[in-house]
Every structure is written in C-alpha cells, then in structure tokens.
C-alpha cells in the first residue's frame, strides 16, 4: 500500500505491478514534486525525509509487502526518490520506526549512504534521530516519532500539545525553543498555527490504508502530502502545505440488488 513504481522486478525473476491505490499515489507524487519545485524556485532546496522511507517488515507482521529482500527494497526506494533527489541541493534522512527500518535505523542509514549530498551527523552517520538546525534564521526541530489520538477531536489538538510540550522541554534545559517543530509517524496532518510561539506541524505520509490502519479506524483515511518552508530571516518564514486526495468520487457506490423472481413463503 506504500508509494511504489508502477512495476517492480523482484529477486525471484517475477514482476510486482502496483495496485490502484499505488498507481494513484505515484501520480500524486509526480504532481506534488512539480508544485514543490515551482514553489521553491530560486531557493536553496534542502529535503528532509521524515523517516520510514522504506519498510522491510522486521517483525513479519503482514503479507502486504512487495519483497523482504534488503537490496531490492533499497534499489526500489532509490528509484522512487529520484523525482525529488535530482532537483534538491541537499537532503537529510531521519530514522523511523525499528519495526520498519531495522534496529538503529539500519536500512534508513543504508539508503541515505547512497547519496553524496545527504548531510551527515557529527559522528558521520548518514541518517539522524533528530535534526536541530537554524536555517536562514529559522530554528527547526525535526524528528520522526509523535503520537496522535484516533478521533477527529483528539487529532486536531495533537499539534497544539506538541508545540506546548516542545517549549516546555527546551525551557527545562535553558535553551531557546525552536520556531518550528515537525514530526511524522502517524500519517495524518495537523498544524498548531500561531496557537503557540513554537509552531508544530505533524506531517502526512505516502501510504494507502493498510491492514493496521483498518483496525485502528475504518472511517479515517490516511493523509497524503507534505510541506515546504521558505526561510526568509530570523523567525521569518512561510509554510506551504499539500494535502492530496488519494481517492476521488463519492464514498457511496450503488449496490443494485436483483428483484425476487418468486414470492417468499
């Protein structure tokens, strides 16, 4: 159910062909990048990939996988990312969840290591647990994990809570809180806007509804998209968000039942 090429050769010599949701995702991916590149024209482009960039199903919890072959999965991910990688000046890979990307982010680090323009940590690692940097005067705190409730009421407040908690954490260590804190993980978008001096944004993902998502909330589709932040100076920035429609048309398809040909007893 994740973002995929329309067709992928797998190690046993066969070919995986994307399902309808994946084909829609790949179309949206191309459209998304066209709009991002137009919006960021003239700016230095730093792409921060928010974690779980690929999934090797470490715990073997599902059948919804193209392959568990590490090399094939890395090659596939690299080809999917070409759309953006060819246009950005630098990139940052964040480490996602161990159940998807391996202990200590092993597969995320392996993927990041394929890119010469990936920014390394001070220890030389190709992927980061947390990216804290000031960019053109705007302070960022970006990492993968966060939490969010499963109801419309709780999910809308998740970004407000993240913003307030982040300020409290930085105050505890006598550090200036960031201007923007960004998280992912939950595949749903939320934004605290100006409810707090620190703005918190929770990112959508690029995956259709999995078996796990159906168990969590059958009525809640995942959000698809991303954001771009233009940094102009000290605490001066603007945010552009993309939330893209994974499905089109009405949810209510007609079910035409045949008429009875005989009367019931």
């Amino acid at each position: 159910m994740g973002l995929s090429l329309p067709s992928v050769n797998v190690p046993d010599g066969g070919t995986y062909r994307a399902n309808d949701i994946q084909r829609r995702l790949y179309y949206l991916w191309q459209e998304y990048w066209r709009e991002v590149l137009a919006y960021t024209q003239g700016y230095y482009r730093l792409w921060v990939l928010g974690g779980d960039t690929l999934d090797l199903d470490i715990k073997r919890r599902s059948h919804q996988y193209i392959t568990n072959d590490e090399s094939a999965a890395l090659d596939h991910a690299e080809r999917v990312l070409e759309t953006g990688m060819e246009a950005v000046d630098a990139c940052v890979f964040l480490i996602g969840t161990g159940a998807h990307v391996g202990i200590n982010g092993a597969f995320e680090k392996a993927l990041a290591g394929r890119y010469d323009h990936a920014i390394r940590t001070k220890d030389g690692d190709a992927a980061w647990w947390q990216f804290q940097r000031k960019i053109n005067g705007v302070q960022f705190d970006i990492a993968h994990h966060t939490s969010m409730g499963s109801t419309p009421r709780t999910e809308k407040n998740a970004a407000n809570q993240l913003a307030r908690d982040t300020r409290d954490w930085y105050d505890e260590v006598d550090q200036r809180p960031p201007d923007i804190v960004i998280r992912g993980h939950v595949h749903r978008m939320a934004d605290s806007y100006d409810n707090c001096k620190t703005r918190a944004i929770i990112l959508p993902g690029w995956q259709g509804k999995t078996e796990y998502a159906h168990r969590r909330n059958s009525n809640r589709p995942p959000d698809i998209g991303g954001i771009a932040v233009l940094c102009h100076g000290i605490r001066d920035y603007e945010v552009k968000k993309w939330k893209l429609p994974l499905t089109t048309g009405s949810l209510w398809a007609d079910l035409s039942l045949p008429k009875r040909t005989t009367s019931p007893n």
Side-chain angles (χ1 to χ4, degrees), residues 16-65:
Y16 173 82
R17 301 194 184 281
N19 59 39
D20 289 344
I21 291 295
Q22 288 175 308
R23 287 195 292 271
R24 174 69 177 167
L25 276 172
Y26 194 67
Y27 168 79
L28 293 174
W29 181 246
Q30 309 302 316
E31 290 295 303
Y32 168 73
W33 272 103
R34 275 191 280 271
E35 293 188 24
V36 167
L37 297 182
Y39 180 71
T40 58
Q41 183 68 38
Y43 285 82
Y44 185 93
R45 295 180 177 127
L46 171 63
W47 181 12
V48 182
L49 294 91
D52 290 349
T53 316
L54 71 165
D55 191 344
L56 270 297
D57 188 25
I58 306 304
K59 294 185 178 181
R60 300 294 186 264
R61 297 176 297 183
S62 174
H63 295 298
Q64 292 182 300
Y65 285 83

Side-chain angles (χ1 to χ4, degrees), residues 54-118:
L54 71 165
D55 191 344
L56 270 297
D57 188 25
I58 306 304
K59 294 185 178 181
R60 300 294 186 264
R61 297 176 297 183
S62 174
H63 295 298
Q64 292 182 300
Y65 285 83
I66 295 173
T67 180
N68 293 121
D69 184 280
E70 298 170 15
S71 178
L74 289 166
D75 288 345
H76 184 202
E78 187 175 2
R79 291 180 61 197
V80 171
L81 296 180
E82 281 178 5
T83 305
M85 285 298 180
E86 293 176 350
V88 300
D89 299 288
C91 61
V92 171
F93 281 81
L94 297 177
I95 296 172
T97 308
H100 303 307
V101 298
I103 296 173
N104 228 22
F107 302 123
E108 214 118 46
K109 291 178 180 178
L111 179 60
R114 296 185 173 203
Y115 298 98
D116 292 335
H117 64 328

Side-chain angles (χ1 to χ4, degrees), residues 183-217:
R183 298 291 187 266
H185 188 62
V186 293
H187 296 217
R188 286 169 286 162
M189 180 177 277
D191 190 344
S192 69
Y193 296 97
D194 58 357
N195 294 333
C196 183
K197 286 186 178 180
T198 291
R199 181 174 180 175
I201 302 176
I202 300 176
L203 298 176
W206 285 90
Q207 186 181 56
K209 200 162 189 176
T210 63
E211 175 192 15
Y212 174 76
H214 278 287
R215 294 201 311 269
R216 289 277 295 173
N217 188 342

Side-chain angles (χ1 to χ4, degrees), residues 135-163:
I135 301 174
N136 286 357
V138 182
Q139 289 188 197
F140 289 86
D141 178 329
I142 314 176
H144 176 74
H145 290 94
T146 193
S147 59
M148 179 185 285
S150 59
T151 68
R153 179 184 68 257
T154 55
E155 71 178 36
K156 296 303 181 186
N157 194 46
N160 293 330
Q161 181 175 327
L162 175 60

Side-chain angles (χ1 to χ4, degrees), residues 131-140 176 179 231 233-234:
F131 187 70
Q132 296 163 297
R133 286 293 185 276
K134 183 186 290 184
I135 301 174
N136 286 357
V138 182
Q139 289 188 197
F140 289 86
R176 177 182 175 276
D179 300 304
C231 301
I234 298 175

